[in-house]
Amino acid sequence: MTAQVTRADSGGDGTGAVKLSPTGWVAEQAELYEESGGTRGTTVQGAPCLLLDYVGRRSGTVRRTVLIYGRDGDDHLVVASKGGSDDHPLWYLNIKDNPQVRLRVGTERFTALAETLSAEEKARVWPHLVDVFAPYESYQKKTSRDIPVVRLRRTDV
């Protein structure tokens, strides 16, 4: 399988093709997750993960990536860590421009609105996110960039 692959979206939302991440393992996991209906490929290094579908800010293409998530009440939280890189991940730049996204969390698929947390909100949820995936702490220490935390709030309830 090539890393940059486009597949028909089997999520049943009628959007057609979805472009998978150019990172090979992410594309493979996204494909496994979606094709299994959310029953396989649902963890990364033991942490729960979801599929995030978002629109490219320049291309208008629907893209899909796999992200580890935590919870805050009914909301899902994702961390724009990019492994502690000094640059934001592309998915984050795209959802800042178009915060309407689609998620697959396990067997469920739904729409959500993405919102970057304030510094105060991030401080409150950060310990939980580090509990979910301990490397986040070292990622933040590795960069001078403040790593954003994004709330994904379901909109189709």
Side-chain angles (χ1 to χ4, degrees):
M1 181 175 96
T2 60
Q4 213 166 359
V5 114
T6 300
R7 295 276 186 250
D9 181 15
S10 57
D13 64 359
T15 59
V18 174
K19 190 161 187 158
L20 300 180
S21 170
T23 304
W25 74 266
V26 177
E28 290 170 15
Q29 184 161 1
E31 192 169 45
L32 173 65
Y33 200 136
E34 184 62 33
E35 287 180 355
S36 72
T39 61
R40 297 177 57 211
T42 60
T43 61
V44 172
Q45 298 179 29
C49 63
L50 54 75
L51 296 181
L52 174 73
D53 293 358
Y54 59 92
V55 176
R57 65 192 185 285
R58 291 188 203 130
S59 68
T61 300
V62 177
R63 298 178 182 279
R64 177 173 293 154
T65 195
V66 176
L67 297 172
I68 292 170
Y69 73 90
R71 297 296 300 262
D72 186 32
D74 291 336
D75 299 334
H76 294 80
L77 301 172
V78 292
V79 179
S81 65
K82 197 176 178 184
S85 168
D86 288 332
D87 300 315
H88 290 306
L90 293 177
W91 66 261
Y92 177 70
L93 299 175
N94 285 307
I95 67 169
K96 279 184 65 164
D97 280 5
N98 185 354
Q100 300 205 347
V101 298
R102 188 149 175 87
L103 305 180
R104 175 177 288 285
V105 182
T107 59
E108 195 172 14
R109 216 174 223 305
F110 54 93
T111 57
L113 190 61
E115 171 193 18
T116 301
L117 297 186
S118 68
E120 295 79 22
E121 289 177 296
K122 178 184 173 182
R124 180 180 62 79
V125 300
W126 188 252
H128 163 64
L129 294 167
V130 171
D131 284 346
V132 169
F133 190 66
Y136 286 148
E137 194 69 41
S138 63
Y139 294 170
Q140 184 59 81
K141 290 177 181 170
K142 195 169 133 177
T143 182
S144 59
R145 171 177 70 94
D146 182 43
I147 294 177
V149 174
V150 176
R151 175 181 310 283
L152 301 168
R153 179 165 286 144
R154 188 177 184 139
T155 57
D156 67 354
V157 289

